[in-house]
Amino acid sequence: GQNIDQPTEMTATEGAIVQINCTYQTSGFNGLFWYQQHAGEAPTFLSYNVLDGLEEKGRFSSFLSRSKGYSYLLLKELQMKDSASYLCAVRDHNYQLIWGAGTKLIIKP
Amino acid sequence: TAGITQAPTSQILAAGRSMTLRCTQDMRHNAMYWYRQDLGLGLRLIHYSNTAGTTGKGEVPDGYSVSRANTDDFPLTLASAVPSQTSVYFCASSDLENTEAFFGQGTRLTVV
C-alpha cells in the first residue's frame, strides 16, 4: 500500500527554526509537494521537489532524498502566522497525489 | 482572478437527500480533483478528471459521482447522502502533471 508519514503535531518558539519530516512509501515517484493549511482554509502550495537536494524559498526550504523516501520542510525565523498544518504529498506513478495527514505546527511567543 | 470557486460554502443535508457540490475554475487547467478531508486523515481523492470529457475514480469514490462537460466545471454529486459523508470537501485543479494544484475554499457538509 501507499503511505505518507509525518508527525501529528509540533511546537516551536517564535523566531526559532523547525524541521517537519515526511517519509513515504508509494507506487512510483513523480515529485513531492509541501502545502500549508491554516485552520478553516484551503491548502496553499509551498514547495515542490523532484530531484534530490534542497530547494530554498525565502524562510522556507524543502529537502528530498528519493533513495530514503524522505523529505523535510525547514521553516526559519518562525512567525506567529506560521501556525498552521503542513501537508506532505507525493505524486505516484499514476500522477495522483497521495497525501499525509498533516503536521499541526503550534508557534509560541 | 477568481481562480477556483466552490459552492456552497457550507450545507446541512438530511440523510437520503441528494446534493451537488459545484466547482468552477477560470485558469483553463486540464486536471480537476475532488477531495474530502476528515480530522486525523489526509486529503483523500474521491474522483478526478484529467481533461474535459473524462473522469476517473479515486481512493474513496463510493456514493459520489462527477461529470466534466467542459474545462471549467467539475460538479460532485451525492445521490443519497449518508452521515459518513459528513466532511470538508475540496475541489482542486492543476495544469501540467508536475505543477502545483490550486484549491477552492472548501465546502463543509454535514449529513444528519
PDB file of all heavy atoms in Angstrom, chain A residues 30 33 35 37 40-45 48 87 91 95-97 99-101, chain B residues 33 35 37 40-43 45 48 50 90 97-101 103-105:
ATOM      1  N   ASN A  30       6.805  10.786  -8.623  1.00  0.00           N
ATOM      2  CA  ASN A  30       6.864  11.851  -9.629  1.00  0.00           C
ATOM      3  C   ASN A  30       6.814  13.212  -8.976  1.00  0.00           C
ATOM      4  O   ASN A  30       6.153  14.126  -9.466  1.00  0.00           O
ATOM      5  CB  ASN A  30       5.730  11.684 -10.650  1.00  0.00           C
ATOM      6  CG  ASN A  30       6.013  10.596 -11.659  1.00  0.00           C
ATOM      7  OD1 ASN A  30       6.957  10.667 -12.434  1.00  0.00           O
ATOM      8  ND2 ASN A  30       5.201   9.551 -11.625  1.00  0.00           N
ATOM      9  N   PHE A  33       5.412  17.342  -2.782  1.00  0.00           N
ATOM     10  CA  PHE A  33       4.890  18.690  -2.552  1.00  0.00           C
ATOM     11  C   PHE A  33       4.718  18.932  -1.053  1.00  0.00           C
ATOM     12  O   PHE A  33       4.387  18.021  -0.297  1.00  0.00           O
ATOM     13  CB  PHE A  33       3.512  18.852  -3.212  1.00  0.00           C
ATOM     14  CG  PHE A  33       3.519  18.734  -4.706  1.00  0.00           C
ATOM     15  CD1 PHE A  33       3.581  17.489  -5.326  1.00  0.00           C
ATOM     16  CD2 PHE A  33       3.427  19.859  -5.506  1.00  0.00           C
ATOM     17  CE1 PHE A  33       3.563  17.371  -6.715  1.00  0.00           C
ATOM     18  CE2 PHE A  33       3.404  19.755  -6.885  1.00  0.00           C
ATOM     19  CZ  PHE A  33       3.477  18.517  -7.483  1.00  0.00           C
ATOM     20  N   TYR A  35       2.434  21.644   1.309  1.00  0.00           N
ATOM     21  CA  TYR A  35       1.381  22.638   1.334  1.00  0.00           C
ATOM     22  C   TYR A  35       1.196  23.134   2.759  1.00  0.00           C
ATOM     23  O   TYR A  35       1.433  22.414   3.727  1.00  0.00           O
ATOM     24  CB  TYR A  35       0.053  22.040   0.856  1.00  0.00           C
ATOM     25  CG  TYR A  35      -0.089  21.935  -0.646  1.00  0.00           C
ATOM     26  CD1 TYR A  35       0.568  20.942  -1.353  1.00  0.00           C
ATOM     27  CD2 TYR A  35      -0.880  22.837  -1.347  1.00  0.00           C
ATOM     28  CE1 TYR A  35       0.436  20.846  -2.730  1.00  0.00           C
ATOM     29  CE2 TYR A  35      -1.020  22.746  -2.724  1.00  0.00           C
ATOM     30  CZ  TYR A  35      -0.350  21.756  -3.400  1.00  0.00           C
ATOM     31  OH  TYR A  35      -0.485  21.664  -4.767  1.00  0.00           O
ATOM     32  N   GLN A  37      -1.713  24.767   5.349  1.00  0.00           N
ATOM     33  CA  GLN A  37      -3.154  24.916   5.502  1.00  0.00           C
ATOM     34  C   GLN A  37      -3.476  25.539   6.856  1.00  0.00           C
ATOM     35  O   GLN A  37      -3.288  24.911   7.899  1.00  0.00           O
ATOM     36  CB  GLN A  37      -3.861  23.574   5.363  1.00  0.00           C
ATOM     37  CG  GLN A  37      -5.374  23.673   5.379  1.00  0.00           C
ATOM     38  CD  GLN A  37      -6.081  22.344   5.181  1.00  0.00           C
ATOM     39  OE1 GLN A  37      -5.525  21.292   5.485  1.00  0.00           O
ATOM     40  NE2 GLN A  37      -7.305  22.376   4.671  1.00  0.00           N
ATOM     41  N   GLY A  40      -9.453  26.040   8.871  1.00  0.00           N
ATOM     42  CA  GLY A  40     -10.643  26.504   8.187  1.00  0.00           C
ATOM     43  C   GLY A  40     -10.416  27.024   6.783  1.00  0.00           C
ATOM     44  O   GLY A  40     -11.346  27.568   6.174  1.00  0.00           O
ATOM     45  N   GLU A  41      -9.191  26.876   6.293  1.00  0.00           N
ATOM     46  CA  GLU A  41      -8.891  27.394   4.959  1.00  0.00           C
ATOM     47  C   GLU A  41      -8.411  26.272   4.039  1.00  0.00           C
ATOM     48  O   GLU A  41      -8.205  25.137   4.457  1.00  0.00           O
ATOM     49  CB  GLU A  41      -7.829  28.491   5.049  1.00  0.00           C
ATOM     50  CG  GLU A  41      -8.279  29.693   5.853  1.00  0.00           C
ATOM     51  CD  GLU A  41      -7.226  30.794   5.881  1.00  0.00           C
ATOM     52  OE1 GLU A  41      -6.212  30.688   5.168  1.00  0.00           O
ATOM     53  OE2 GLU A  41      -7.437  31.772   6.621  1.00  0.00           O
ATOM     54  N   ALA A  42      -8.231  26.622   2.778  1.00  0.00           N
ATOM     55  CA  ALA A  42      -7.756  25.649   1.791  1.00  0.00           C
ATOM     56  C   ALA A  42      -6.239  25.506   1.866  1.00  0.00           C
ATOM     57  O   ALA A  42      -5.540  26.439   2.280  1.00  0.00           O
ATOM     58  CB  ALA A  42      -8.159  26.103   0.392  1.00  0.00           C
ATOM     59  N   PRO A  43      -5.699  24.363   1.464  1.00  0.00           N
ATOM     60  CA  PRO A  43      -4.243  24.224   1.366  1.00  0.00           C
ATOM     61  C   PRO A  43      -3.679  25.159   0.310  1.00  0.00           C
ATOM     62  O   PRO A  43      -4.296  25.386  -0.733  1.00  0.00           O
ATOM     63  CB  PRO A  43      -4.059  22.764   0.944  1.00  0.00           C
ATOM     64  CG  PRO A  43      -5.328  22.075   1.308  1.00  0.00           C
ATOM     65  CD  PRO A  43      -6.402  23.107   1.149  1.00  0.00           C
ATOM     66  N   THR A  44      -2.484  25.689   0.589  1.00  0.00           N
ATOM     67  CA  THR A  44      -1.800  26.518  -0.399  1.00  0.00           C
ATOM     68  C   THR A  44      -0.394  25.967  -0.617  1.00  0.00           C
ATOM     69  O   THR A  44       0.256  25.518   0.329  1.00  0.00           O
ATOM     70  CB  THR A  44      -1.723  27.996   0.026  1.00  0.00           C
ATOM     71  OG1 THR A  44      -1.114  28.073   1.317  1.00  0.00           O
ATOM     72  CG2 THR A  44      -3.095  28.621   0.086  1.00  0.00           C
ATOM     73  N   PHE A  45       0.071  26.027  -1.834  1.00  0.00           N
ATOM     74  CA  PHE A  45       1.333  25.442  -2.240  1.00  0.00           C
ATOM     75  C   PHE A  45       2.525  26.152  -1.602  1.00  0.00           C
ATOM     76  O   PHE A  45       2.581  27.376  -1.551  1.00  0.00           O
ATOM     77  CB  PHE A  45       1.443  25.522  -3.764  1.00  0.00           C
ATOM     78  CG  PHE A  45       2.776  25.150  -4.333  1.00  0.00           C
ATOM     79  CD1 PHE A  45       3.130  23.823  -4.444  1.00  0.00           C
ATOM     80  CD2 PHE A  45       3.663  26.117  -4.756  1.00  0.00           C
ATOM     81  CE1 PHE A  45       4.357  23.465  -4.984  1.00  0.00           C
ATOM     82  CE2 PHE A  45       4.885  25.780  -5.285  1.00  0.00           C
ATOM     83  CZ  PHE A  45       5.235  24.443  -5.408  1.00  0.00           C
ATOM     84  N   TYR A  48       8.025  22.274  -4.097  1.00  0.00           N
ATOM     85  CA  TYR A  48       7.985  21.082  -4.923  1.00  0.00           C
ATOM     86  C   TYR A  48       9.407  20.577  -5.103  1.00  0.00           C
ATOM     87  O   TYR A  48      10.306  21.352  -5.444  1.00  0.00           O
ATOM     88  CB  TYR A  48       7.361  21.420  -6.278  1.00  0.00           C
ATOM     89  CG  TYR A  48       7.493  20.357  -7.334  1.00  0.00           C
ATOM     90  CD1 TYR A  48       6.806  19.158  -7.220  1.00  0.00           C
ATOM     91  CD2 TYR A  48       8.289  20.552  -8.470  1.00  0.00           C
ATOM     92  CE1 TYR A  48       6.908  18.181  -8.205  1.00  0.00           C
ATOM     93  CE2 TYR A  48       8.401  19.583  -9.455  1.00  0.00           C
ATOM     94  CZ  TYR A  48       7.699  18.406  -9.311  1.00  0.00           C
ATOM     95  OH  TYR A  48       7.803  17.438 -10.290  1.00  0.00           O
ATOM     96  N   LEU A  87       1.207  19.985   5.055  1.00  0.00           N
ATOM     97  CA  LEU A  87       0.830  18.733   4.403  1.00  0.00           C
ATOM     98  C   LEU A  87       1.905  18.313   3.418  1.00  0.00           C
ATOM     99  O   LEU A  87       2.334  19.110   2.578  1.00  0.00           O
ATOM    100  CB  LEU A  87      -0.499  18.901   3.640  1.00  0.00           C
ATOM    101  CG  LEU A  87      -1.645  19.586   4.365  1.00  0.00           C
ATOM    102  CD1 LEU A  87      -2.873  19.643   3.457  1.00  0.00           C
ATOM    103  CD2 LEU A  87      -1.969  18.886   5.656  1.00  0.00           C
ATOM    104  N   ARG A  91       3.390  12.560  -5.585  1.00  0.00           N
ATOM    105  CA  ARG A  91       2.702  12.194  -6.826  1.00  0.00           C
ATOM    106  C   ARG A  91       3.219  10.823  -7.258  1.00  0.00           C
ATOM    107  O   ARG A  91       4.421  10.644  -7.470  1.00  0.00           O
ATOM    108  CB  ARG A  91       2.969  13.240  -7.918  1.00  0.00           C
ATOM    109  CG  ARG A  91       1.968  13.175  -9.056  1.00  0.00           C
ATOM    110  CD  ARG A  91       2.256  14.209 -10.119  1.00  0.00           C
ATOM    111  NE  ARG A  91       2.088  15.583  -9.681  1.00  0.00           N
ATOM    112  CZ  ARG A  91       0.929  16.221  -9.624  1.00  0.00           C
ATOM    113  NH1 ARG A  91      -0.185  15.591  -9.961  1.00  0.00           N
ATOM    114  NH2 ARG A  91       0.868  17.485  -9.245  1.00  0.00           N
ATOM    115  N   TYR A  95       0.455   9.703 -11.461  1.00  0.00           N
ATOM    116  CA  TYR A  95       0.385  11.157 -11.337  1.00  0.00           C
ATOM    117  C   TYR A  95      -0.740  11.617 -10.428  1.00  0.00           C
ATOM    118  O   TYR A  95      -1.233  12.730 -10.559  1.00  0.00           O
ATOM    119  CB  TYR A  95       0.317  11.827 -12.721  1.00  0.00           C
ATOM    120  CG  TYR A  95       1.621  11.746 -13.456  1.00  0.00           C
ATOM    121  CD1 TYR A  95       1.906  10.664 -14.285  1.00  0.00           C
ATOM    122  CD2 TYR A  95       2.598  12.727 -13.297  1.00  0.00           C
ATOM    123  CE1 TYR A  95       3.124  10.571 -14.933  1.00  0.00           C
ATOM    124  CE2 TYR A  95       3.819  12.630 -13.943  1.00  0.00           C
ATOM    125  CZ  TYR A  95       4.070  11.559 -14.754  1.00  0.00           C
ATOM    126  OH  TYR A  95       5.277  11.462 -15.391  1.00  0.00           O
ATOM    127  N   GLN A  96      -1.149  10.754  -9.507  1.00  0.00           N
ATOM    128  CA  GLN A  96      -2.108  11.144  -8.487  1.00  0.00           C
ATOM    129  C   GLN A  96      -1.364  11.520  -7.214  1.00  0.00           C
ATOM    130  O   GLN A  96      -0.347  10.925  -6.879  1.00  0.00           O
ATOM    131  CB  GLN A  96      -3.091  10.007  -8.203  1.00  0.00           C
ATOM    132  CG  GLN A  96      -3.967   9.652  -9.385  1.00  0.00           C
ATOM    133  CD  GLN A  96      -4.796  10.811  -9.885  1.00  0.00           C
ATOM    134  OE1 GLN A  96      -5.185  11.693  -9.118  1.00  0.00           O
ATOM    135  NE2 GLN A  96      -5.066  10.840 -11.179  1.00  0.00           N
ATOM    136  N   LEU A  97      -1.891  12.503  -6.504  1.00  0.00           N
ATOM    137  CA  LEU A  97      -1.270  12.945  -5.254  1.00  0.00           C
ATOM    138  C   LEU A  97      -1.728  12.071  -4.096  1.00  0.00           C
ATOM    139  O   LEU A  97      -2.933  11.877  -3.894  1.00  0.00           O
ATOM    140  CB  LEU A  97      -1.612  14.397  -4.975  1.00  0.00           C
ATOM    141  CG  LEU A  97      -0.855  15.461  -5.783  1.00  0.00           C
ATOM    142  CD1 LEU A  97      -1.457  16.828  -5.537  1.00  0.00           C
ATOM    143  CD2 LEU A  97       0.616  15.453  -5.432  1.00  0.00           C
ATOM    144  N   TRP A  99      -1.589  11.966  -0.042  1.00  0.00           N
ATOM    145  CA  TRP A  99      -1.404  12.981   0.991  1.00  0.00           C
ATOM    146  C   TRP A  99      -1.123  12.372   2.357  1.00  0.00           C
ATOM    147  O   TRP A  99      -1.735  11.371   2.740  1.00  0.00           O
ATOM    148  CB  TRP A  99      -2.653  13.847   1.112  1.00  0.00           C
ATOM    149  CG  TRP A  99      -2.929  14.659  -0.105  1.00  0.00           C
ATOM    150  CD1 TRP A  99      -3.582  14.251  -1.233  1.00  0.00           C
ATOM    151  CD2 TRP A  99      -2.570  16.026  -0.320  1.00  0.00           C
ATOM    152  NE1 TRP A  99      -3.635  15.272  -2.142  1.00  0.00           N
ATOM    153  CE2 TRP A  99      -3.031  16.368  -1.608  1.00  0.00           C
ATOM    154  CE3 TRP A  99      -1.904  16.988   0.445  1.00  0.00           C
ATOM    155  CZ2 TRP A  99      -2.850  17.648  -2.136  1.00  0.00           C
ATOM    156  CZ3 TRP A  99      -1.719  18.248  -0.089  1.00  0.00           C
ATOM    157  CH2 TRP A  99      -2.184  18.571  -1.363  1.00  0.00           C
ATOM    158  N   GLY A 100      -0.209  12.997   3.106  1.00  0.00           N
ATOM    159  CA  GLY A 100      -0.073  12.704   4.514  1.00  0.00           C
ATOM    160  C   GLY A 100      -1.200  13.379   5.284  1.00  0.00           C
ATOM    161  O   GLY A 100      -1.914  14.230   4.745  1.00  0.00           O
ATOM    162  N   ALA A 101      -1.348  12.993   6.553  1.00  0.00           N
ATOM    163  CA  ALA A 101      -2.420  13.551   7.379  1.00  0.00           C
ATOM    164  C   ALA A 101      -2.130  14.970   7.838  1.00  0.00           C
ATOM    165  O   ALA A 101      -3.017  15.646   8.360  1.00  0.00           O
ATOM    166  CB  ALA A 101      -2.677  12.646   8.583  1.00  0.00           C
TER     167      ALA A 101
ATOM    168  N   TYR B  33      -9.910  17.878  -9.511  1.00  0.00           N
ATOM    169  CA  TYR B  33      -9.970  16.830  -8.483  1.00  0.00           C
ATOM    170  C   TYR B  33     -11.008  17.184  -7.424  1.00  0.00           C
ATOM    171  O   TYR B  33     -11.235  18.360  -7.141  1.00  0.00           O
ATOM    172  CB  TYR B  33      -8.612  16.710  -7.774  1.00  0.00           C
ATOM    173  CG  TYR B  33      -7.416  16.676  -8.680  1.00  0.00           C
ATOM    174  CD1 TYR B  33      -6.786  17.861  -9.075  1.00  0.00           C
ATOM    175  CD2 TYR B  33      -6.891  15.475  -9.144  1.00  0.00           C
ATOM    176  CE1 TYR B  33      -5.676  17.841  -9.906  1.00  0.00           C
ATOM    177  CE2 TYR B  33      -5.787  15.450  -9.978  1.00  0.00           C
ATOM    178  CZ  TYR B  33      -5.180  16.632 -10.356  1.00  0.00           C
ATOM    179  OH  TYR B  33      -4.089  16.613 -11.180  1.00  0.00           O
ATOM    180  N   TYR B  35     -11.551  16.166  -3.363  1.00  0.00           N
ATOM    181  CA  TYR B  35     -11.022  15.525  -2.178  1.00  0.00           C
ATOM    182  C   TYR B  35     -12.012  15.708  -1.031  1.00  0.00           C
ATOM    183  O   TYR B  35     -12.747  16.680  -0.984  1.00  0.00           O
ATOM    184  CB  TYR B  35      -9.708  16.174  -1.734  1.00  0.00           C
ATOM    185  CG  TYR B  35      -8.536  15.986  -2.658  1.00  0.00           C
ATOM    186  CD1 TYR B  35      -8.209  16.968  -3.595  1.00  0.00           C
ATOM    187  CD2 TYR B  35      -7.729  14.862  -2.574  1.00  0.00           C
ATOM    188  CE1 TYR B  35      -7.111  16.816  -4.435  1.00  0.00           C
ATOM    189  CE2 TYR B  35      -6.626  14.704  -3.410  1.00  0.00           C
ATOM    190  CZ  TYR B  35      -6.331  15.681  -4.334  1.00  0.00           C
ATOM    191  OH  TYR B  35      -5.241  15.529  -5.159  1.00  0.00           O
ATOM    192  N   GLN B  37     -11.671  15.872   3.282  1.00  0.00           N
ATOM    193  CA  GLN B  37     -10.695  15.984   4.360  1.00  0.00           C
ATOM    194  C   GLN B  37     -11.403  15.769   5.687  1.00  0.00           C
ATOM    195  O   GLN B  37     -12.312  16.502   6.043  1.00  0.00           O
ATOM    196  CB  GLN B  37     -10.008  17.355   4.352  1.00  0.00           C
ATOM    197  CG  GLN B  37      -8.856  17.448   5.338  1.00  0.00           C
ATOM    198  CD  GLN B  37      -8.114  18.769   5.231  1.00  0.00           C
ATOM    199  OE1 GLN B  37      -8.709  19.823   5.047  1.00  0.00           O
ATOM    200  NE2 GLN B  37      -6.787  18.719   5.328  1.00  0.00           N
ATOM    201  N   GLY B  40      -7.704  14.058  11.284  1.00  0.00           N
ATOM    202  CA  GLY B  40      -6.760  12.972  11.508  1.00  0.00           C
ATOM    203  C   GLY B  40      -6.388  12.187  10.277  1.00  0.00           C
ATOM    204  O   GLY B  40      -5.506  11.327  10.339  1.00  0.00           O
ATOM    205  N   LEU B  41      -7.039  12.477   9.174  1.00  0.00           N
ATOM    206  CA  LEU B  41      -6.743  11.782   7.932  1.00  0.00           C
ATOM    207  C   LEU B  41      -6.229  12.777   6.898  1.00  0.00           C
ATOM    208  O   LEU B  41      -6.551  13.954   6.954  1.00  0.00           O
ATOM    209  CB  LEU B  41      -7.989  11.090   7.389  1.00  0.00           C
ATOM    210  CG  LEU B  41      -8.624  10.030   8.281  1.00  0.00           C
ATOM    211  CD1 LEU B  41      -9.908   9.512   7.639  1.00  0.00           C
ATOM    212  CD2 LEU B  41      -7.662   8.878   8.525  1.00  0.00           C
ATOM    213  N   GLY B  42      -5.452  12.291   5.956  1.00  0.00           N
ATOM    214  CA  GLY B  42      -5.008  13.150   4.877  1.00  0.00           C
ATOM    215  C   GLY B  42      -6.138  13.407   3.899  1.00  0.00           C
ATOM    216  O   GLY B  42      -7.211  12.805   3.979  1.00  0.00           O
ATOM    217  N   LEU B  43      -5.900  14.310   2.994  1.00  0.00           N
ATOM    218  CA  LEU B  43      -6.844  14.521   1.904  1.00  0.00           C
ATOM    219  C   LEU B  43      -6.997  13.216   1.123  1.00  0.00           C
ATOM    220  O   LEU B  43      -6.010  12.583   0.762  1.00  0.00           O
ATOM    221  CB  LEU B  43      -6.330  15.614   0.970  1.00  0.00           C
ATOM    222  CG  LEU B  43      -6.382  17.035   1.512  1.00  0.00           C
ATOM    223  CD1 LEU B  43      -5.471  17.946   0.707  1.00  0.00           C
ATOM    224  CD2 LEU B  43      -7.812  17.559   1.466  1.00  0.00           C
ATOM    225  N   LEU B  45      -8.682  11.363  -2.225  1.00  0.00           N
ATOM    226  CA  LEU B  45      -9.205  11.656  -3.549  1.00  0.00           C
ATOM    227  C   LEU B  45     -10.497  10.878  -3.793  1.00  0.00           C
ATOM    228  O   LEU B  45     -10.548   9.648  -3.642  1.00  0.00           O
ATOM    229  CB  LEU B  45      -8.165  11.289  -4.610  1.00  0.00           C
ATOM    230  CG  LEU B  45      -8.513  11.601  -6.052  1.00  0.00           C
ATOM    231  CD1 LEU B  45      -8.637  13.105  -6.265  1.00  0.00           C
ATOM    232  CD2 LEU B  45      -7.446  11.010  -6.987  1.00  0.00           C
ATOM    233  N   TYR B  48     -11.473  12.257 -10.062  1.00  0.00           N
ATOM    234  CA  TYR B  48     -10.633  13.205 -10.761  1.00  0.00           C
ATOM    235  C   TYR B  48     -11.000  13.226 -12.235  1.00  0.00           C
ATOM    236  O   TYR B  48     -11.705  12.350 -12.737  1.00  0.00           O
ATOM    237  CB  TYR B  48      -9.144  12.868 -10.589  1.00  0.00           C
ATOM    238  CG  TYR B  48      -8.734  11.572 -11.236  1.00  0.00           C
ATOM    239  CD1 TYR B  48      -8.221  11.539 -12.525  1.00  0.00           C
ATOM    240  CD2 TYR B  48      -8.869  10.370 -10.551  1.00  0.00           C
ATOM    241  CE1 TYR B  48      -7.856  10.335 -13.123  1.00  0.00           C
ATOM    242  CE2 TYR B  48      -8.514   9.165 -11.130  1.00  0.00           C
ATOM    243  CZ  TYR B  48      -8.003   9.150 -12.412  1.00  0.00           C
ATOM    244  OH  TYR B  48      -7.646   7.953 -13.007  1.00  0.00           O
ATOM    245  N   ASN B  50      -8.780  14.257 -15.855  1.00  0.00           N
ATOM    246  CA  ASN B  50      -7.542  14.747 -16.459  1.00  0.00           C
ATOM    247  C   ASN B  50      -7.788  15.702 -17.619  1.00  0.00           C
ATOM    248  O   ASN B  50      -6.900  16.464 -18.005  1.00  0.00           O
ATOM    249  CB  ASN B  50      -6.673  13.577 -16.924  1.00  0.00           C
ATOM    250  CG  ASN B  50      -6.046  12.831 -15.757  1.00  0.00           C
ATOM    251  OD1 ASN B  50      -5.809  13.401 -14.695  1.00  0.00           O
ATOM    252  ND2 ASN B  50      -5.788  11.541 -15.944  1.00  0.00           N
ATOM    253  N   PHE B  90     -12.944  19.533  -0.801  1.00  0.00           N
ATOM    254  CA  PHE B  90     -12.129  20.485  -1.546  1.00  0.00           C
ATOM    255  C   PHE B  90     -12.070  20.080  -3.008  1.00  0.00           C
ATOM    256  O   PHE B  90     -11.810  18.922  -3.334  1.00  0.00           O
ATOM    257  CB  PHE B  90     -10.707  20.544  -0.993  1.00  0.00           C
ATOM    258  CG  PHE B  90     -10.570  21.261   0.304  1.00  0.00           C
ATOM    259  CD1 PHE B  90     -10.433  20.567   1.493  1.00  0.00           C
ATOM    260  CD2 PHE B  90     -10.582  22.654   0.346  1.00  0.00           C
ATOM    261  CE1 PHE B  90     -10.301  21.235   2.701  1.00  0.00           C
ATOM    262  CE2 PHE B  90     -10.454  23.330   1.551  1.00  0.00           C
ATOM    263  CZ  PHE B  90     -10.314  22.620   2.729  1.00  0.00           C
ATOM    264  N   GLU B  97       1.289  18.048 -15.355  1.00  0.00           N
ATOM    265  CA  GLU B  97       1.271  16.967 -14.373  1.00  0.00           C
ATOM    266  C   GLU B  97       2.134  17.260 -13.163  1.00  0.00           C
ATOM    267  O   GLU B  97       1.853  16.811 -12.069  1.00  0.00           O
ATOM    268  CB  GLU B  97       1.718  15.664 -15.033  1.00  0.00           C
ATOM    269  CG  GLU B  97       0.736  15.141 -16.055  1.00  0.00           C
ATOM    270  CD  GLU B  97       1.378  14.149 -17.013  1.00  0.00           C
ATOM    271  OE1 GLU B  97       2.599  14.220 -17.193  1.00  0.00           O
ATOM    272  OE2 GLU B  97       0.647  13.332 -17.571  1.00  0.00           O
ATOM    273  N   ASN B  98       3.196  17.991 -13.319  1.00  0.00           N
ATOM    274  CA  ASN B  98       4.112  18.170 -12.207  1.00  0.00           C
ATOM    275  C   ASN B  98       4.070  19.547 -11.594  1.00  0.00           C
ATOM    276  O   ASN B  98       5.004  19.965 -10.942  1.00  0.00           O
ATOM    277  CB  ASN B  98       5.542  17.867 -12.663  1.00  0.00           C
ATOM    278  CG  ASN B  98       5.723  16.391 -12.921  1.00  0.00           C
ATOM    279  OD1 ASN B  98       5.104  15.568 -12.266  1.00  0.00           O
ATOM    280  ND2 ASN B  98       6.547  16.069 -13.881  1.00  0.00           N
ATOM    281  N   THR B  99       3.001  20.255 -11.800  1.00  0.00           N
ATOM    282  CA  THR B  99       2.887  21.569 -11.167  1.00  0.00           C
ATOM    283  C   THR B  99       1.889  21.513 -10.023  1.00  0.00           C
ATOM    284  O   THR B  99       1.154  20.559  -9.852  1.00  0.00           O
ATOM    285  CB  THR B  99       2.455  22.637 -12.173  1.00  0.00           C
ATOM    286  OG1 THR B  99       1.176  22.298 -12.697  1.00  0.00           O
ATOM    287  CG2 THR B  99       3.453  22.747 -13.305  1.00  0.00           C
ATOM    288  N   GLU B 100       1.883  22.577  -9.244  1.00  0.00           N
ATOM    289  CA  GLU B 100       1.051  22.632  -8.058  1.00  0.00           C
ATOM    290  C   GLU B 100      -0.425  22.545  -8.399  1.00  0.00           C
ATOM    291  O   GLU B 100      -0.859  22.898  -9.492  1.00  0.00           O
ATOM    292  CB  GLU B 100       1.316  23.942  -7.321  1.00  0.00           C
ATOM    293  CG  GLU B 100       0.910  25.153  -8.140  1.00  0.00           C
ATOM    294  CD  GLU B 100       1.314  26.457  -7.503  1.00  0.00           C
ATOM    295  OE1 GLU B 100       0.601  26.892  -6.582  1.00  0.00           O
ATOM    296  OE2 GLU B 100       2.313  27.027  -7.939  1.00  0.00           O
ATOM    297  N   ALA B 101      -1.182  22.088  -7.430  1.00  0.00           N
ATOM    298  CA  ALA B 101      -2.634  22.093  -7.515  1.00  0.00           C
ATOM    299  C   ALA B 101      -3.161  23.295  -6.746  1.00  0.00           C
ATOM    300  O   ALA B 101      -2.644  23.643  -5.689  1.00  0.00           O
ATOM    301  CB  ALA B 101      -3.196  20.802  -6.923  1.00  0.00           C
ATOM    302  N   PHE B 103      -6.443  25.015  -4.861  1.00  0.00           N
ATOM    303  CA  PHE B 103      -7.629  24.532  -4.173  1.00  0.00           C
ATOM    304  C   PHE B 103      -8.706  25.598  -4.073  1.00  0.00           C
ATOM    305  O   PHE B 103      -8.400  26.788  -3.925  1.00  0.00           O
ATOM    306  CB  PHE B 103      -7.262  24.089  -2.754  1.00  0.00           C
ATOM    307  CG  PHE B 103      -6.547  22.773  -2.710  1.00  0.00           C
ATOM    308  CD1 PHE B 103      -5.195  22.687  -2.986  1.00  0.00           C
ATOM    309  CD2 PHE B 103      -7.236  21.606  -2.387  1.00  0.00           C
ATOM    310  CE1 PHE B 103      -4.534  21.463  -2.951  1.00  0.00           C
ATOM    311  CE2 PHE B 103      -6.585  20.387  -2.345  1.00  0.00           C
ATOM    312  CZ  PHE B 103      -5.239  20.309  -2.630  1.00  0.00           C
ATOM    313  N   GLY B 104      -9.952  25.153  -4.119  1.00  0.00           N
ATOM    314  CA  GLY B 104     -11.072  26.003  -3.764  1.00  0.00           C
ATOM    315  C   GLY B 104     -11.119  26.169  -2.259  1.00  0.00           C
ATOM    316  O   GLY B 104     -10.359  25.541  -1.517  1.00  0.00           O
ATOM    317  N   GLN B 105     -12.042  27.000  -1.790  1.00  0.00           N
ATOM    318  CA  GLN B 105     -12.091  27.336  -0.372  1.00  0.00           C
ATOM    319  C   GLN B 105     -12.739  26.259   0.471  1.00  0.00           C
ATOM    320  O   GLN B 105     -12.704  26.316   1.695  1.00  0.00           O
ATOM    321  CB  GLN B 105     -12.809  28.681  -0.171  1.00  0.00           C
ATOM    322  CG  GLN B 105     -14.331  28.604  -0.297  1.00  0.00           C
ATOM    323  CD  GLN B 105     -14.826  28.756  -1.716  1.00  0.00           C
ATOM    324  OE1 GLN B 105     -14.144  28.395  -2.687  1.00  0.00           O
ATOM    325  NE2 GLN B 105     -16.027  29.296  -1.871  1.00  0.00           N
TER     326      GLN B 105
END
